[in-house]
Amino acid sequence: MKNVKLVEEEKKVKVDAPQRFNKRYFINKRAEDDDPLTDLDRIDQAKRPLDGKFIYPDSAGKGVNIFIVDSGIFLTHEQFDGRAKFGGAFCKNCKRDDIDRHGTFVASVAAGNTVGVARKANIIDVRVLNAKGEGSTSNMIEGLSFVIDQHKNGKNKNSVINMSLGVVPVSRALNDVVKEVTDAGIHIAVSAGNDSEDACGQSPASAPSAITVGATEKTSDAVTDFSNIGKCVDIFAPGRQIFGAIPAAENDDYLVLNGTSFSSPLVAGTLALLISKSSNKPPAELTKDLIKLSTKGVVTGLKKGSPDAFLRTPAP
Ligand SMILES: [Ca+2]
């Protein structure tokens, strides 16, 4: 069949957030810039000690669409202020009101209005995982194809994808679609994975044009014991005890979680900041800007060809 590019066995995909805390946290309304979360405080400055501030460009990702390819988003959470909308669902028997918390959490880290990086960005829910946080490579490919269609047919060409999930071993089919994503002009940040192994062993972390993100600690810039590493990682960002939003009847529920799943949306949000502050660029060029802006010489515990690059948000 000449229309078939590749045939590949279906693979199971999981979220990159294995370690869960049971304790629930709540926050009060507060002056966000002067009392930021530790991860946000860390990424707006080159070196420690933390200065107790998260300072970011006023544009704050405005006009950028961040597609959260994940387990669904609780759209009415207070963190999203009406900026989050439903895009599409590509999982079997997915019920709208039965979502795993992972997608909401990831969306809030990318663009939540007090716990996120790009606080004025648009958030688009592309659901590819079911209520247990599980899906398959074909679900991922359908989800990414949907984003490519939205990008090509829509007026807004400022598109960023976050994909905090992975499949082992490498899926050539999924990696091929990631290339189509970046060829179309869409930026994509992905989690490196949490198996303390080489990120080149899973997808989409191994896709060359994806920005693959490893996790560092909360109290230092050491690579965490769970983060995947190696030359397929492009940049490191905090991934320990990240505070984020989860679905709740009262729209104000939060949790603290570990994982490269939450390092990746810090990068996705930063890409949105870069686009709204200056202008959009082809993915390869924006990636270069991101790496150039990143802080060198602070990440410790780099192994097996891991890059010396720590996430830094652009100055206002
Ligand atoms: Ca700071």
Short mmCIF file of all heavy atoms in Angstrom, two decimals, residues 40-42 44-45 50-55, ligand 1:
data_model
loop_
_atom_site.label_atom_id
_atom_site.label_comp_id
_atom_site.label_asym_id
_atom_site.label_seq_id
_atom_site.Cartn_x
_atom_site.Cartn_y
_atom_site.Cartn_z
N LEU A 40 9.80 28.31 40.15
CA LEU A 40 9.71 29.55 39.38
C LEU A 40 10.77 30.56 39.83
O LEU A 40 11.38 31.25 39.01
CB LEU A 40 8.31 30.15 39.51
CG LEU A 40 7.17 29.22 39.05
CD1 LEU A 40 5.82 29.88 39.31
CD2 LEU A 40 7.32 28.85 37.58
N ASP A 41 10.98 30.63 41.13
CA ASP A 41 12.02 31.50 41.68
C ASP A 41 13.38 31.13 41.08
O ASP A 41 14.17 32.00 40.71
CB ASP A 41 12.04 31.34 43.21
CG ASP A 41 12.91 32.36 43.92
OD1 ASP A 41 13.68 33.06 43.24
OD2 ASP A 41 12.81 32.44 45.16
N ARG A 42 13.61 29.84 40.92
CA ARG A 42 14.93 29.37 40.46
C ARG A 42 15.20 29.69 38.99
O ARG A 42 16.33 30.03 38.62
CB ARG A 42 15.03 27.84 40.67
CG ARG A 42 16.35 27.24 40.21
CD ARG A 42 17.52 27.72 41.04
NE ARG A 42 18.81 27.39 40.45
CZ ARG A 42 19.48 28.18 39.61
NH1 ARG A 42 18.99 29.35 39.25
NH2 ARG A 42 20.66 27.82 39.14
N ASP A 44 14.28 32.08 36.94
CA ASP A 44 14.43 33.44 36.40
C ASP A 44 15.77 34.06 36.78
O ASP A 44 16.02 35.23 36.56
CB ASP A 44 13.28 34.35 36.86
CG ASP A 44 13.42 34.82 38.29
OD1 ASP A 44 14.13 34.13 39.07
OD2 ASP A 44 12.85 35.86 38.63
N GLN A 45 16.66 33.25 37.36
CA GLN A 45 17.97 33.77 37.74
C GLN A 45 19.02 32.72 37.42
O GLN A 45 18.73 31.53 37.36
CB GLN A 45 17.98 34.13 39.23
CG GLN A 45 17.67 32.95 40.16
CD GLN A 45 17.60 33.37 41.63
OE1 GLN A 45 16.59 33.86 42.11
NE2 GLN A 45 18.73 33.16 42.34
N LEU A 50 18.36 31.70 45.91
CA LEU A 50 17.13 32.23 45.36
C LEU A 50 16.86 33.62 45.93
O LEU A 50 17.14 33.88 47.10
CB LEU A 50 15.97 31.28 45.71
CG LEU A 50 16.13 29.84 45.23
CD1 LEU A 50 14.90 29.02 45.61
CD2 LEU A 50 16.37 29.78 43.73
N ASP A 51 16.29 34.49 45.09
CA ASP A 51 16.06 35.87 45.53
C ASP A 51 14.61 36.12 45.96
O ASP A 51 14.23 37.26 46.23
CB ASP A 51 16.47 36.85 44.43
CG ASP A 51 15.61 36.72 43.18
OD1 ASP A 51 14.73 35.82 43.14
OD2 ASP A 51 15.82 37.51 42.24
N GLY A 52 13.80 35.05 45.98
CA GLY A 52 12.42 35.22 46.44
C GLY A 52 11.51 35.90 45.44
O GLY A 52 10.42 36.36 45.79
N LYS A 53 11.95 35.97 44.18
CA LYS A 53 11.14 36.62 43.15
C LYS A 53 11.08 35.76 41.89
O LYS A 53 12.01 35.03 41.58
CB LYS A 53 11.75 37.97 42.78
CG LYS A 53 11.72 39.02 43.88
CD LYS A 53 12.33 40.30 43.35
CE LYS A 53 12.06 41.47 44.28
NZ LYS A 53 12.82 41.39 45.54
N PHE A 54 9.96 35.88 41.20
CA PHE A 54 9.87 35.34 39.84
C PHE A 54 9.48 36.52 38.95
O PHE A 54 8.35 37.00 38.99
CB PHE A 54 8.83 34.22 39.75
CG PHE A 54 8.56 33.75 38.34
CD1 PHE A 54 9.60 33.37 37.50
CD2 PHE A 54 7.27 33.70 37.83
CE1 PHE A 54 9.36 32.95 36.20
CE2 PHE A 54 7.01 33.27 36.53
CZ PHE A 54 8.06 32.89 35.71
N ILE A 55 10.44 36.99 38.20
CA ILE A 55 10.22 38.17 37.36
C ILE A 55 10.20 37.72 35.90
O ILE A 55 11.09 37.00 35.45
CB ILE A 55 11.35 39.20 37.59
CG1 ILE A 55 11.33 39.60 39.08
CG2 ILE A 55 11.17 40.42 36.70
CD1 ILE A 55 12.53 40.41 39.51
CA CA B 1 14.24 34.28 41.37
#
